[in-house]
Amino acid sequence: MSNRLEALRVFCAAADAANFRDAAVRLAVSPQVVTRAVRELEEELGEPLFHRSTRGVQLTDFGRQLAQRARTAVGGVDALFHRTDRRALSQHAGTVRVTAPNVYGRRLIPEALAPMLAAHPGLVLDLRLSEEHADVVDEQIDIGVRAGPNPSPITL
């Protein structure tokens, strides 16, 4: 991946995900694209960005510092190319994390949220597609969409 900006975008997604596979799903690319982008950044910077294990990946101290700086840099570049209504941006801004199964998430969720995202350009959708139930607290999920029987129904 010769485009440094795109490599930083991929790295930021990987830094925010539990593993490279989850980052790939969020970016709608193959896990190999994420692995390759991270490896190329590590080679170019001469530092490991992640500790890898059979359980997943974890940012190194250097990776954590780079992720903070990369988010700012990527966000700054993105802001150069997006015209926004500053009043709307100040009213509703931030990342909305949504988890949903693949069957809904690929098309239905983005279509349903598109009018809200268009009306509020300060909002960013972080769509996490998975068939597994997310830990909504640890992953800071704002909206969860699931279908099927509730494994632990709430009774009143």
Side-chain angles (χ1 to χ4, degrees), residues 24-155:
V25 168
R26 287 184 205 168
L27 295 169
V29 299
S30 72
Q32 291 81 8
V33 169
V34 176
T35 300
R36 184 174 53 245
V38 169
R39 186 180 61 241
E40 288 177 9
L41 278 173
E42 288 176 329
E43 288 172 3
E44 186 167 345
L45 297 169
E47 291 278 344
L49 301 174
F50 291 92
H51 296 291
R52 294 160 176 86
S53 73
T54 55
R55 290 195 225 168
V57 294
Q58 220 176 15
L59 284 168
T60 62
D61 289 336
F62 181 82
R64 230 180 328 282
Q65 292 170 7
L66 179 64
Q68 285 181 303
R69 292 173 38 218
R71 285 184 195 104
T72 302
V74 169
V77 169
D78 287 346
L80 290 173
F81 296 99
H82 292 288
R83 300 180 85 202
T84 58
D85 174 3
R86 293 290 175 208
R87 231 180 26 219
L89 183 60
S90 67
Q91 291 174 2
H92 302 287
T95 301
V96 179
R97 291 173 187 85
V98 179
T99 182
N102 284 307
V103 68
Y104 298 120
R106 292 258 180 244
R107 190 165 149 220
L108 296 176
I109 302 296
E111 283 178 9
L113 295 179
M116 180 190 61
L117 294 170
H120 303 286
L123 291 177
V124 174
L125 179 62
D126 178 356
L127 184 56
R128 301 171 181 204
L129 303 178
S130 173
E131 304 312 314
E132 296 178 21
H133 290 271
D135 185 331
V136 295
V137 175
D138 285 347
E139 295 182 39
Q140 300 175 332
I141 301 295
D142 299 301
I143 301 169
V145 178
R146 294 289 170 220
N150 186 351
S152 56
I154 300 172
T155 56

